[in-house]
Every structure is written in C-alpha cells, then in structure tokens.
Amino acid sequence: MKKTALATAIVSLLSHAYTSPVFAQNTTIETDETMVVTANRFEQSAKDVIAPMSVVTKEEIVQIQAKTITDILRLQPGIEVANNGGIGQNASIFMRGTNSDHVLVLIDGFKMNSSIKSGMNINKIPVNQIERIEIIRGSGAVMYGSDAVGGVINIITRTSQNDESKSATIGVGSNKYKEGNFAANTKVGENGHLKMAAGFTQTEGYNVNPQPGKNDGDKHGFDNSQFMLNYEHQISSYLSLFTGVRWFNSTSEYNHYTNTKSQSESESITYSTKASFHKDNLSSDLSLNYQDNQNLEYLENGSLDSEQKIDQLNAQWTNQYKLMDSWSINGGIDWSNERVKADITDWSNKVIIDEGESRTSTGIYLGTTYRLEQLTLEGNTRFDKHDKYDEYTTWGVGASYQINDIYKIRSAYNTAFKAPSFYDLSTEPDLEPETSKNIDIGVTAEYEIVNVNLSLYKNKVDNLIIYYDAPNHQGYSANVDAEIKGAELELLFDTGIVSHTVVAEYKDHEDTQGQQLARRAKQNYKWVSNVSFGDLDMNLSYIYTGKRSDLPSAPGTTTNYLAPYSLWTIAGAYWLTEELAVRGRVENLLDEEYETAGGYKPAERSYYVSLDYQF
C-alpha cells in the first residue's frame, strides 16, 4: 500500500507541472519530420516507412538519464530485456517474442552480431556515443540477411555536418558508481566535420548471483573505458568520405559456476570507412568495416580460464536509383568474413571451435518502392550464400494507404532465416538453419488529442533453435517449431502539461514441446511521461512485465518461472545556467525485488547524480 501511495503522489506532482516543449515536439511532431536510414538503407522520412519502427533521439536518451543501452531499449515497443545483474553484466534483447540472437544489431549500418558466437553483449556499447537509435520491428532479413528474424536495431553515432555541440559529464552513484564522458563536434575547414567522444564508467557493483554460504560478501563490479573518432569530408557537391575508429576496453566481474568470483576482460576496436556518391537520381555508398574483438575469462586465482579472439570484415555496396519522384529501385551487395584467432574452449576446457575456423557470407538484394498519391507499394528479395550452409532466398512485400488526414493502414509479409552459430553447432552438429514467415498489419490514427499506433503480427518460425537447460552442465540445443502471435498498441498524448507515451503488448508464444519461450512474457505495459517547468525537467517511467519461464528445461525436468514485476524510474535535471545542469536518476524507485534471468539479482533502488556542461 505504501508503494502505491508513493507512486500516486509522484504522478500527481508531475501532472501539475509545465509541459516540456522539447518532449512535446518528440511525441507529436518529430515523427513526421525525422529522417531515417535503416528501413531501406538510404535516407527517407520516417512516415514513409511501412514497417513498424521507433526512433529514439539523443534528447530522449538524456531525458531518461540512461546509464546503459538496455535502459533505453526496454522502454521501446516490442522489446524485452533480460539482464544477468547490473551495469556491465550480460544482457539479452528479445523483440516480438523471438530469440535474443534474432535481433540484428548495427552500429552506423554495420553488422555487430557474430555468427561464430551468436549475438553480442549490447550492454557494453557506450551511451555517450549515441546520436539516435532506429528500431525496425519484424523481419529485416530481406534487407540485411541472417539474424534479422525479429527486428533490427541500428545505433547511429554519426552527426550532422552542421553540428558543433560539445559536452562534458561527470557523475557518481550507488555501489560506488563513477562516470566521466566528453563529446565534441566541430567543423574542420569548410568541408570537414569531426566528432570525438571518450569516457569511462566504474562501479564496485554488488552480488549479482548470490549463493548463500558459498559466495557471501562478493561484489561484481564493472570498469569500462571507451573512445571514438569520426571524420567526414565533403569532397564535392556529390561525393563525401567518412572514416571512423571506435575502441572500448572493459572488465566485468561475475560469479563462476564454481561459486568463485571470476572476471571477463573484453577489448574491441573497430575501423570504418564509407564513400558516398549522390548525384541527380543516383545514390551509391561503398563501405568497409573491420572489427577485432577479444574476450578473456580469468579465474579467481588469476589463471586464464578461456579466451575468445574473433575478427570480422564487412563490405557493403548499396545503391538507389530514382526512375521518377514516385518510383525508386534499391540494390546492393553485402560480404562478410569472420575468423577465429585462437582456440575457443567450453567450461571443461574442451576445444569447441578451432583456431582458424571462419565463416564467409555473401548477400545480393534488390527492391523497389512505388508511390501513387496515398498508396505506397514495396517489394524486396535477397539471395544469401553461406560457405557452411546452403543458399537462401528471402523476400517480402508491403503496402500502406493514407485513407485521410487521420487514418493510415499498412501490411507486410516477409520471410527470414538464421544460420546456426558455431557455438550452437558445438553442442548439436546437426542443427538446421532457422526460417520464418512473418505477417504484420497495422493502423495509425492521428487524432487531435492522441496518436494511436496499432500492430498485429504473426511469426511462424521453423527449426527454431532452443537451448534446453539440464543438471550438471548437460544442457543442449535443439530445433523445434514455434508460432508467435502478438499485438502492440502505442499511444502518444498530452494531459494538459504532461506528455505521455503508453505501450501495451500481448504475445502468445510456445514451441512444439508446449513450452513458453524463455524469458518472454505474454503481457508487457510501459508508460513514459515528461514535463518541464522553469529550469527543471522531469521524467517518470513505468514497466510491467508478466510471468514468464526461465530457461526451458529438458524433458523430464521442471521449468522454473519468473514472477511478474513492476519497475518505476524517475529522472530529472535542473539547469543552473544555460550551459550547466545537475542531473539525477533514481532506478527501481520502489525497491522492487525481481528477476529477469533466474538466479540473477537486479540492483536495488539506486541513485545517480551528475553535472552536465554543454558548450
């Protein structure tokens, strides 16, 4: 009863403040004006995208005072997050009920997922480097190939060449949290633009996986340093060149399966370059991206437990030609190679992936978009060849129709596939690639008092790869079929001076063994509100996640279920001057005890405060 009273008081307080002009623009106007690049790999207006999508701006990230990228994503429609503890610990992203490795993660359009170890630890991407995040919900394989079964998340660090903003932040928080970040955008001569960002995050942490009587008193901390440098030069009116380097080094402590404190040391360096040609009706981009990633696991006594050293080279050639203002054709080639640079072992020190193993894939895609007054039609097809598997062809069609100034309807059908990772094959070498058929229909209504976005979807996944837990580390992966049906409702509206975003989601998802898909709830509800009065900005968010299974258990064993939970977070900023703000965030405001992954304890109520100087 005390928790309910406190929450009611907070809502009442916020609803008597003044609306933030910035947030009001984000909720009611900016969607129509925002330009995005993820849907067809070239810039277009967000309102012209047929697929359901969300765009998170840098301003919105600052408003919620996000400390990790999962703080941002868990508030978005169609997304659930499972964390193995707090800041810097492993996190899994589930989109529309599909597996966590069914979400393709891009940074500036380059693939970050690894087909060798499957997925990526998204929590280690520094928040201060992000300019915006574009999220496509539903299959994106027809445009990007393997992995994009449930959706695409494109994290964009590049800025406009007119951006000359600079900022510096220092902060402290619970569990001896410390942060320091710097970012600067500046013009170089008449045609150059430079962005530099650097920073660190440290926390002593807490016991994320408590085992009474076995690891009492342990704390699992996180230490991260990062740096990024981007440079873009406009060589002529139709030719530009971009180059960038991104580096991070982090150490995460965790509870080893022997209940001793171990640590994971990760280092990643990425080089990217892109030449863009835009003249008359033709746009063409040629991009190269090289990633060198290593992860070393150390036991409590300091001895090396395991190592992962993987590099990845990506090449992309994307093209768009406008036959006329209403008709365009897209096409291009993707090529990637991943290579294991050192033997990879399992928990028993058995080599499961040999040094020198590699995987190469080539994709060719072609698509077209045609607009006739209120009607938009699009069709795409893609051919992928993997050196370890057969060839795959995916395709998709979509249409939208603007009925009048208020109503717009849309529909899309897309196929997708995902090849098993080397990790998957290490436990079950006969695994088949996953394939899916996804249909999505939706309606958008822009009333004077509220904007409504409703999506209904059905995704049939054949040969879904599920990991079944079993005692004594005898878990295994297997192919099953699954059908995921769901509905998403998003409302954007103002109540006087408070701006609101409300999301309601329902999913029905089971595999052919009759088990609910792991760590995905049937019901999710989210609410985000923003308000400003004078020099004070406030943000309040709420998440409800329903009951869901933990890791599915092998036949004959009992599946554990995770209890529903409600999570409140409040953030605010007070502007001491036009350039200097004091910012604060209280996470898990009502000190809820909950789990998003069985046995892993999220942080208790946590406090953060920082000074943010913008110049």
Side-chain angles (χ1 to χ4, degrees):
M1 293 180 63
K2 291 182 180 179
K3 291 182 178 181
T4 303
L6 177 58
T8 303
I10 293 169
V11 174
S12 176
L13 173 65
L14 289 180
S15 62
H16 286 84
Y18 295 94
T19 305
S20 164
V22 173
F23 188 79
Q25 180 184 10
N26 288 341
T27 57
T28 60
I29 298 175
E30 189 179 354
T31 300
D32 288 344
E33 299 176 345
T34 299
M35 304 301 290
V36 295
V37 296
T38 308
N40 69 7
R41 303 173 72 155
F42 280 97
E43 191 174 73
Q44 65 180 132
S45 174
K47 67 180 180 180
D48 293 331
V49 177
I50 293 177
M53 76 172 300
S54 304
V55 180
V56 185
T57 65
K58 186 173 184 177
E59 290 75 18
E60 291 170 316
I61 295 171
V62 171
Q63 284 169 349
I64 67 172
Q65 283 296 287
K67 302 304 176 185
T68 66
I69 196 168
T70 52
D71 292 337
I72 306 166
L73 296 177
R74 67 186 181 186
L75 295 173
Q76 306 308 311
I79 292 181
E80 295 173 81
V81 175
N83 273 309
N84 288 5
I87 294 174
Q89 302 296 325
N90 285 337
S92 300
I93 305 297
F94 301 95
M95 192 179 296
R96 286 193 162 188
T98 59
N99 287 351
S100 59
D101 57 1
H102 287 167
V103 180
L104 178 63
V105 178
L106 311 172
I107 296 183
D108 293 325
F110 293 108
K111 177 181 177 181
M112 295 292 111
N113 299 53
S114 171
S115 62
I116 289 177
K117 61 181 181 178
S118 191
M120 66 169 299
N121 185 4
I122 199 169
N123 241 353
K124 293 184 178 180
I125 298 174
V127 172
N128 78 307
Q129 296 182 3
I130 301 173
E131 291 297 321
R132 71 178 188 276
I133 303 175
E134 298 179 6
I135 303 168
I136 301 292
R137 303 192 297 279
S139 172
V142 73
M143 191 61 65
Y144 290 100
S146 179
D147 295 359
V149 176
V152 179
I153 298 174
N154 191 7
I155 301 163
I156 296 170
T157 68
R158 294 177 63 178
T159 57
S160 164
Q161 291 201 34
N162 296 320
D163 188 350
E164 293 194 87
S165 62
K166 300 173 182 64
S167 66
T169 302
I170 56 172
V172 296
S174 298
N175 299 313
K176 296 186 178 179
Y177 175 88
K178 302 182 185 70
E179 68 171 327
N181 294 297
F182 170 80
N185 295 276
T186 185
K187 288 186 177 181
V188 180
E190 293 185 1
N191 300 315
H193 186 268
L194 182 72
K195 175 180 179 178
M196 182 174 68
F200 74 92
T201 300
Q202 295 177 354
T203 178
E204 183 181 75
Y206 60 94
N207 194 335
V208 301
N209 183 217
Q211 304 292 318
K214 298 178 180 179
N215 68 348
D216 299 334
D218 280 357
K219 293 183 178 181
H220 302 118
F222 176 66
D223 189 340
N224 179 74
S225 300
Q226 42 88 9
F227 173 79
M228 181 188 72
L229 185 67
N230 287 348
Y231 179 72
E232 189 162 2
H233 193 86
Q234 193 71 39
I235 297 173
S236 68
S237 60
Y238 52 83
L239 182 63
S240 65
L241 180 66
F242 166 84
T243 185
V245 59
R246 185 174 61 256
W247 169 86
F248 78 78
N249 181 281
S250 65
T251 299
S252 302
E253 296 177 328
Y254 64 96
N255 187 45
H256 196 262
Y257 69 89
T258 58
N259 293 315
T260 59
K261 186 164 72 171
S262 299
Q263 70 178 28
S264 171
E265 294 185 3
S266 300
E267 184 171 28
S268 174
I269 187 163
T270 301
Y271 304 95
S272 302
T273 186
K274 182 177 183 178
S276 299
F277 177 89
H278 301 276
K279 185 177 182 181
D280 299 329
N281 295 331
L282 176 63
S283 298
S284 183
D285 295 339
L286 181 62
S287 309
L288 293 173
N289 170 265
Y290 174 75
Q291 305 167 33
D292 190 359
N293 303 301
Q294 71 170 13
N295 189 75
L296 306 178
E297 308 283 340
Y298 291 95
L299 298 176
E300 190 172 32
N301 61 13
S303 62
L304 182 64
D305 185 35
S306 66
E307 62 180 341
Q308 299 174 13
K309 295 183 178 180
I310 301 170
D311 65 7
Q312 182 177 158
L313 179 63
N314 300 307
Q316 303 172 357
W317 183 36
T318 58
N319 303 274
Q320 182 182 77
Y321 186 77
K322 292 185 177 181
L323 298 172
M324 56 184 71
D325 290 340
S326 58
W327 188 9
S328 63
I329 295 177
N330 287 5
I333 300 174
D334 297 325
W335 179 89
S336 69
N337 174 265
E338 296 176 72
R339 180 172 58 97
V340 178
K341 298 169 64 177
D343 289 344
I344 298 178
T345 59
D346 64 7
W347 62 274
S348 65
N349 287 323
K350 174 186 175 183
V351 176
I352 57 175
I353 305 176
D354 294 323
E355 179 182 353
E357 285 275 13
S358 66
R359 177 173 286 185
T360 301
S361 63
T362 304
I364 302 173
Y365 66 93
L366 181 66
T368 185
T369 301
Y370 181 73
R371 296 181 178 87
L372 179 62
E373 297 180 347
Q374 292 89 359
L375 176 66
T376 299
L377 301 172
E378 69 176 23
N380 297 280
T381 186
R382 181 182 174 102
F383 172 82
D384 283 276
K385 180 176 177 57
H386 286 240
D387 60 351
K388 304 296 182 183
Y389 286 97
D390 293 333
E391 302 163 349
Y392 295 92
T393 300
T394 51
W395 61 276
V397 292
S400 67
Y401 185 74
Q402 188 75 47
I403 299 174
N404 52 36
D405 291 341
I406 297 176
Y407 297 105
K408 181 178 182 179
I409 57 175
R410 56 175 176 77
S411 180
Y413 178 89
N414 289 280
T415 64
F417 82 99
K418 184 186 186 306
S421 69
F422 282 164
Y423 263 38
D424 294 328
L425 296 171
S426 69
T427 60
E428 182 52 61
D430 295 327
L431 286 174
E432 294 291 331
E434 302 166 276
T435 60
S436 78
K437 300 173 182 177
N438 182 83
I439 186 169
D440 182 286
I441 59 174
V443 60
T444 299
E446 297 185 0
Y447 299 107
E448 185 175 346
I449 60 173
V450 62
N451 287 357
V452 180
N453 298 311
L454 175 64
S455 294
L456 305 174
Y457 61 88
K458 179 179 178 181
N459 197 351
K460 187 177 185 303
V461 185
D462 294 331
N463 294 321
L464 178 71
I465 297 175
I466 295 289
Y467 178 82
Y468 290 97
D469 197 19
N472 302 317
H473 309 286
Q474 298 301 310
Y476 62 92
S477 298
N479 285 120
V480 297
D481 294 338
E483 186 172 87
I484 306 168
K485 294 178 287 187
E488 297 166 352
L489 176 65
E490 182 181 29
L491 306 175
L492 298 92
F493 60 95
D494 298 337
T495 54
I497 43 153
V498 184
S499 298
H500 306 266
T501 300
V502 175
V503 176
E505 303 168 7
Y506 176 80
K507 296 186 296 295
D508 183 13
H509 51 85
E510 287 186 349
D511 62 30
T512 49
Q513 305 295 325
Q515 295 213 45
Q516 182 178 333
L517 299 180
R519 297 176 179 171
R520 281 149 276 187
K522 289 190 174 183
Q523 298 180 63
N524 292 277
Y525 303 99
K526 306 171 185 182
W527 171 55
V528 181
S529 64
N530 280 263
V531 67
S532 290
F533 47 99
D535 295 323
L536 183 65
D537 302 326
M538 297 294 293
N539 171 276
L540 180 67
S541 64
Y542 169 76
I543 297 174
Y544 171 83
T545 299
K547 177 182 176 182
R548 61 237 177 268
S549 70
D550 198 22
L551 289 178
S553 299
T557 58
T558 303
T559 296
N560 295 321
Y561 284 85
L562 304 174
Y565 68 90
S566 295
L567 190 64
W568 293 85
T569 300
I570 190 169
Y574 183 76
W575 290 91
L576 301 172
T577 67
E578 290 185 357
E579 297 85 16
L580 181 63
V582 178
R583 300 188 184 275
R585 173 182 170 94
V586 183
E587 222 170 80
N588 193 2
L589 183 64
L590 305 184
D591 206 15
E592 179 96 354
E593 293 186 6
Y594 69 103
E595 290 182 345
T596 59
Y600 290 92
K601 179 184 177 183
E604 299 173 348
R605 184 190 296 118
S606 302
Y607 304 88
Y608 302 94
V609 63
S610 63
L611 281 175
D612 184 5
Y613 183 58
Q614 300 181 7
F615 55 100

